Amino acid sequence: MTNNSKSLVLPQPQGHALSLKLAAGVVSGSNSTASLSGVVKTRVVSPGLVELTLQAGDPSSYGSRTWPLRIGGAGIGDDEDNSALAMLGCLVIRAPIAVRFAVPIALHGVDDAGFCDASFWSERMREEPTLENIALKAIQWLEGSHEQGASEEWKNTERHAKKGLDVIQNYVAIRKNEFSSSGSSSIPLVTLQNISLEWIVPALRPLFMRTSAESIQERARALLDLKQLVTEIGPGIYTFDLFTPLFCDLLIAEVDAFEATKLPCRRPNTMNKLGLVVNDIGLEPILTDILESLMDPICQILYGEDAPIITSALDHHHSFIVRYRNESNNTTKKHSVVAATDDDGSRGLDMHHDASEATLNVCLGRDGFTSGGLRFCGRYGDANHRSTGALISHSKGRAILHLGRHRHGADDIESGERINLIMWARNSAYRGAAAFGHVPLDGTPQRKETGVVDMLCLSKSNDRDYEEKMKLLDPTSQRATKKNKYIF
């Protein structure tokens, strides 16, 4: 077993024998699930990757919506399994093929990446895995009928899931009523499955066109020209125009509208006290479209040599809105729905690296903000990970793309309010391997630090040696630049 992620080959669906066999059965009609109650649709997404659209369970809970279940790629077992050795034929594979829900779901036996754990597989299913058996088991899990009466753990998870589904359904109903009452001919973003081409800058629109032979050719040409459409600010740090001002305004309006309802929501993570998880308010389909149309292909092209395993198949995401504001500017209070205080931790953000394989950060506005750039240092695990790299200013609709392990932080905003859309893009196969210790969780082994440590790259909340390093640095020449930098 190695600690170098580049030396581990994670079998993707197109190179996995069982995956190709099941997908071929869908194409030929010999492996059909059409007659099963609970299966709405079956399709081949790509070579070796099958997607079943399921709808089953209590109509007020899991049965209130459809769930895409994707089958393909190397299976991931539980803690007793060793998938890396199994890939080499040294062990019996407890999970012969990867089965995962392609959208966020709170379901007992399903992890944060959507994978069904080893308990999904009976001995018979492992010996003769078929799409029909996989579909039946997934339907049973949604119904809670896979045991003699649903377990208490399953019931607790279902109750949690129902609360989240209720929030989305209630909010969508509120927004539909608001648009209908106003006589608007447009529709709220939370009712859409794909982002409109008019909201993407013209140069990148072909990436979102996949409906005809002509559009597919245009998309292929755009991918070939992709490196000419981005600017590399620093090693592995790219910027490019992405959203039109109209979409930025629409997305901000959608977030403001949700917050005005006072419906419960999750905050983005432990670092951001303001903002919300947009997947939880009904915007997950649009963000998934951005992931599949833009993030996955662009990362394969830009990071193909640098991080080929990590970014080889980005297939799920954690997406959220963050707000930065300086309350000394009174215009901020006219816009914002969320109450804030001067010490609410919204002016800037401490140095950190993300829980993602790749991160997309897009500035949405609002108009009138000043300062508050995104500062980059080195990559987590590298010898120079606390040395200054680049400082990037934000502009409305412009995106910043970087690997998740690239250390960065938000400088304090001087005035106004800025809202950013963040997508943490993740690779489920890589995360599954990392979870069982087959590759380093952050994509690289830890190297001894030999680079010059810059005060601007230190993190009081993340660096154990913060106080030690601060004492070694000149407090008069650099400490002033750190004033109000760190938010705890």
Side-chain angles (χ1 to χ4, degrees), residues 413-448:
I413 189 170
E414 290 183 355
S415 63
E417 180 180 30
R418 188 184 78 248
I419 299 177
N420 287 56
L421 171 67
I422 313 294
M423 176 186 286
W424 286 357
R426 295 165 171 169
N427 176 338
S428 60
Y430 176 80
R431 292 203 156 243
F436 301 104
H438 309 319
V439 293
L441 184 60
D442 289 287
T444 181
Q446 292 278 324
R447 295 181 177 88
K448 183 178 180 179

Side-chain angles (χ1 to χ4, degrees), residues 163-241:
K163 290 179 181 179
L165 292 168
D166 285 345
V167 168
I168 294 176
Q169 291 168 359
N170 290 338
Y171 178 59
V172 169
I174 290 171
R175 291 296 278 163
K176 284 182 176 180
N177 183 61
E178 289 175 349
F179 274 64
S180 177
S181 300
S182 67
S184 174
S185 59
S186 59
I187 57 176
L189 296 183
V190 289
T191 63
L192 301 177
Q193 296 298 307
N194 302 96
I195 191 167
S196 173
L197 288 179
E198 66 178 299
W199 298 333
I200 303 296
V201 296
L204 294 178
R205 286 175 188 171
L207 296 181
F208 293 82
M209 299 165 58
R210 292 172 290 183
T211 57
S212 66
E214 182 179 352
S215 65
I216 291 174
Q217 291 176 354
E218 288 186 37
R219 187 171 191 269
R221 286 193 292 269
L223 288 172
L224 289 174
D225 296 336
L226 196 55
K227 288 188 176 181
Q228 300 176 22
L229 302 177
V230 303
T231 301
E232 188 170 16
I233 301 298
I237 306 167
Y238 301 92
T239 67
F240 53 94
D241 290 326

